[in-house]
Amino acid sequence: MVRVGLTRDRLVRAGAELADEVGFDQVTVSALARQFDVKVASLYSHLRSSQELKTGIALLALEELADRGAAALAGRAGKDALTAFANVYRDYAREHPGRYAAAQLRLDPETAAASAGVRHAQMTRAILRGYDLTEPDQTHAVRLLGSVFHGYVSLEMQGGFSHSAPDSQESWSRILDSLDATLRNWPAL
C-alpha cells in the first residue's frame, strides 16, 4: 500500500533538503525512509534505488540553477551578464551545498540531453556571443568558465580561502574581471 502524501516529487525534494543538511553522498533511500518514519520498502513504489533518488536530486538542482541563471541574465550583456551568471553558481552553492554537489552528478547521455544542463550551456553560449567568439573558441570558453566557476566555488566551500587575506569576495571579483578581459581579448590561434 502506498503511504498517503508520499510521491516521487516529494521524496526527491526531501532528498534535496537532506543533501543540503548532511551532504549529497549521505543521501540514500534508507536515510529518506528514516526521515519519513516509514519502511524502506514503502519508498520503492516511488523510487527504484538510491541512484534514482540521486539522479532526481541532480535534475532538480540543474533546473533550479537554470531558472536562477535565466532570471539573472534577463536584460544583461557582456561583463554584467558574466558576473550575474557566475554569482548564481556561487550563491546557489552556498545556499544549497548538497544540491550543488548533486548538480555535478554524471548523468547518462539520454538523461543529460533532456535535463536543464542543456539550458546552462545555452545560457553560457549566449553570454559568450557578447564577446564575438566563434567555434571552436566558444567551446573552449564554455569549458574555461565552467572550470573557473566550479573550481573556485568548490575550493571556497571547503574553506580553502578562509585562512588568509584578502577576503575571498575580493578575489572572486578580480577573477571575474580577469575572465572578462580574457574573453574580450581572446587570442586567435
Side-chain angles (χ1 to χ4, degrees), residues 64-117:
E64 289 174 344
L65 265 169
D67 290 347
R68 286 184 181 202
L73 289 177
R76 292 190 163 102
K79 183 182 176 196
D80 190 33
L82 174 69
T83 300
F85 197 61
N87 286 333
V88 163
Y89 279 85
R90 188 173 181 224
D91 293 345
Y92 188 82
R94 288 172 160 178
E95 293 169 31
H96 301 290
R99 293 178 204 205
Y100 181 78
Q104 311 312 311
L105 182 70
R106 184 183 182 117
L107 302 171
D108 67 75
E110 185 178 310
T111 302
S115 77

Side-chain angles (χ1 to χ4, degrees), residues 82 85 89 100 104 120-128 133-152 179 182-183 186:
L82 174 69
F85 197 61
Y89 279 85
Y100 181 78
Q104 311 312 311
H120 294 262
Q122 291 169 338
M123 286 185 280
T124 304
R125 288 181 185 278
I127 292 166
L128 293 172
L133 297 180
T134 58
E135 287 300 343
D137 291 330
Q138 195 177 90
T139 296
H140 296 310
V142 167
R143 292 172 181 167
L144 170 68
L145 294 179
S147 298
V148 171
F149 298 167
H150 179 65
Y152 193 89
L179 284 172
T182 298
L183 294 170
W186 193 270

Side-chain angles (χ1 to χ4, degrees), residues 42-80:
S42 68
L43 298 187
Y44 285 120
S45 62
H46 304 289
L47 298 163
R48 290 180 300 230
S49 66
S50 289
Q51 186 59 41
E52 183 179 334
L53 172 62
K54 287 186 174 194
T55 298
I57 297 167
L59 294 173
L60 173 66
L62 288 169
E63 188 73 32
E64 289 174 344
L65 265 169
D67 290 347
R68 286 184 181 202
L73 289 177
R76 292 190 163 102
K79 183 182 176 196
D80 190 33

